Amino acid sequence: MENITVLGAGSWGTALALVLADNGHRVRLWSHRAEQVREINEQRTNEKYLPGVRLPEAIIGYDDLGAALDGVSIVVLAVPTKAIREVLQRARMCLAAPITIVAVSKGIEPGTHKRVSEIVTEEISEWLEDVVVLSGPSHAEEVVLRHPTTVAVSSPNMEAAQRIQDVFMNHHYFRVYTNPDLVGVEVGGALKNIIALAAGISDGLGYGDNAKAALITRGLAEIARLGCALGANPLTFAGLAGVGDLIVTCTSVHSRNWRAGHMLGQGKKLDDVLESMGMVVEGVRTTKAAYELAKELGVKMPITEVLYEVLFDGKNPKEAVDSLMARGKKQEMNDLMNIFAEQ
């Protein structure tokens, strides 16, 4: 049994807290909102993010960051990527001993183009024992129903990854694999949100399964191109953190990125979409970061490019899809041969 703190009481942080509680751990679930913490502790619910779900008694809510971190050795980082630096800077002032951070947020930071594990290492290096990334096809709404789910964990220290594998593994419904390819696991988890936005736009325009299958397949090629340019193993993108996460995020109504894209495809403006969602849509920031990074590295990412134009330049979504279809002729296998040739 471990004392574990989960930073971020959104849907994913809460779902992982439930998994940990089911596994017999004592869990502290931190939120910066005192009223949310009172609800967790008094009502045993988190209705805004996971309506109708009763939380185990082993989950205790905290709004005091110092108290939440006192004496724990494992911290699950589940805040939105845009808040990670601020939360870690505050956490750094509260720590008295090294911790293992399990990063479960998915994104790439615009401007710096850093992955979440890199941000963690940069912000909290003096108190960081290990950083482990957890990713894969895992909607919180299904995890809390205890439906079968599989994820992957990765770390520069694979002994730490195996420790976290043991902490999260639930033989009834939550299966955890290890993967030594930290870059690939993070890149796959982050970039799938871009393709999910595009898939949502396609559905919002009324296009069918053919169009979405094309976006998923060609989107995976883009993810692999950029990931391998950053040093990832191409085989990772055939696994849980690659095609697995891509499929679930592009095809499910639970996916906030798909839902946001669907509204954009129906003609709604980005600001109105984000306001109506009530939750962070990570794919928007990641599209900007990936667009910048692809330009910097000379990697071709046509879906990401046209999505960037829709999100930030006001391009009409239908015109964006038409521009993808009008591109010049290509040989499909060239991508795969080039990716493997560079390894």
Side-chain angles (χ1 to χ4, degrees):
M1 181 183 290
E2 302 261 13
N3 293 313
I4 301 173
T5 294
V6 178
L7 299 181
S11 57
W12 190 216
T14 305
L16 290 175
L18 182 143
V19 173
L20 293 168
D22 280 354
N23 290 352
H25 304 295
R26 293 179 292 265
V27 186
R28 306 173 188 180
L29 181 57
W30 174 83
S31 168
H32 68 280
R33 293 170 46 225
E35 64 273 19
Q36 184 183 24
V37 170
R38 282 195 298 272
E39 179 193 351
I40 290 168
N41 291 335
E42 296 174 8
Q43 306 299 323
R44 298 279 95 209
T45 59
N46 190 358
E47 284 293 319
K48 177 180 178 181
Y49 295 100
L50 293 169
V53 174
R54 181 164 182 80
L55 301 177
E57 296 292 332
I59 298 175
I60 306 299
Y62 284 74
D63 60 359
D64 183 321
L65 186 58
L69 292 170
D70 184 35
V72 300
S73 61
I74 296 175
V75 175
V76 179
L77 186 62
V79 299
T81 55
K82 68 178 182 180
I84 285 176
R85 286 192 186 274
E86 177 191 353
V87 170
L88 288 177
Q89 288 163 8
R90 291 176 57 194
R92 191 171 59 207
M93 307 301 293
C94 305
L95 294 171
I99 58 173
T100 292
I101 286 193
V102 184
V104 303
S105 302
K106 301 172 181 178
I108 297 175
E109 189 174 45
T112 69
H113 308 149
K114 292 185 182 295
R115 307 184 315 276
V116 173
S117 68
E118 293 177 308
I119 298 172
V120 169
T121 302
E122 191 171 278
E123 290 293 343
I124 205 168
S125 58
E126 67 271 35
W127 294 110
L128 186 63
E129 183 173 4
D130 289 293
V131 59
V132 179
V133 169
L134 183 150
S135 189
S138 47
H139 286 312
E141 294 84 354
E142 297 181 4
V143 171
V144 294
L145 295 176
R146 298 173 175 87
H147 289 176
T149 300
T150 56
V151 298
V153 290
S154 187
S155 174
N157 177 5
M158 287 308 293
E159 290 184 2
Q162 290 163 0
R163 177 192 180 195
I164 298 305
Q165 179 185 36
D166 291 338
V167 165
F168 277 95
M169 178 80 86
N170 182 294
H171 293 286
H172 297 290
Y173 69 94
F174 201 80
R175 183 168 178 79
V176 185
Y177 291 81
T178 57
N179 184 327
D181 180 18
L182 177 65
V183 174
V185 169
E186 285 195 277
V187 170
L191 298 191
K192 54 92 183 183
N193 287 328
I194 299 173
I195 309 307
L197 276 169
I201 288 174
S202 177
D203 287 336
L205 287 167
Y207 297 146
D209 295 338
N210 293 353
K212 186 152 62 176
L215 280 169
I216 291 172
T217 307
R218 298 310 303 163
L220 184 61
E222 289 195 14
I223 292 171
R225 278 199 296 271
L226 186 60
C228 291
L230 294 169
N233 183 332
L235 293 177
T236 293
F237 302 113
L240 292 168
V243 68
D245 208 357
L246 184 63
I247 290 171
V248 79
T249 312
C250 289
T251 61
S252 174
V253 294
H254 293 314
S255 166
R256 66 188 71 168
N257 289 281
W258 179 89
R259 296 202 311 269
H262 190 258
M263 287 188 275
L264 290 170
Q266 292 178 322
K268 295 180 173 62
K269 300 298 183 184
L270 178 61
D271 289 344
D272 295 334
V273 168
L274 296 179
E275 184 177 351
S276 69
M277 290 290 294
M279 292 184 281
V280 173
V281 180
E282 291 283 11
V284 175
R285 292 178 84 245
T286 303
T287 298
K288 187 174 190 298
Y291 175 84
E292 295 168 349
L293 189 53
K295 294 292 186 186
E296 179 183 310
L297 297 175
V299 175
K300 292 183 179 179
M301 300 185 71
I303 297 173
T304 302
E305 289 175 12
V306 298
L307 183 60
Y308 179 93
E309 292 171 352
V310 170
L311 295 176
F312 301 108
D313 295 339
K315 187 167 187 171
N316 180 278
K318 186 177 186 308
E319 292 177 2
V321 175
D322 290 344
S323 70
L324 285 173
M325 293 300 295
R327 294 172 65 236
K329 295 186 293 184
K330 300 289 182 181
Q331 216 278 33
E332 184 185 26
M333 295 305 292
N334 282 349
D335 273 333
L336 291 174
M337 290 188 291
N338 291 338
I339 287 169
F340 280 98
E342 292 169 4
Q343 299 307 302

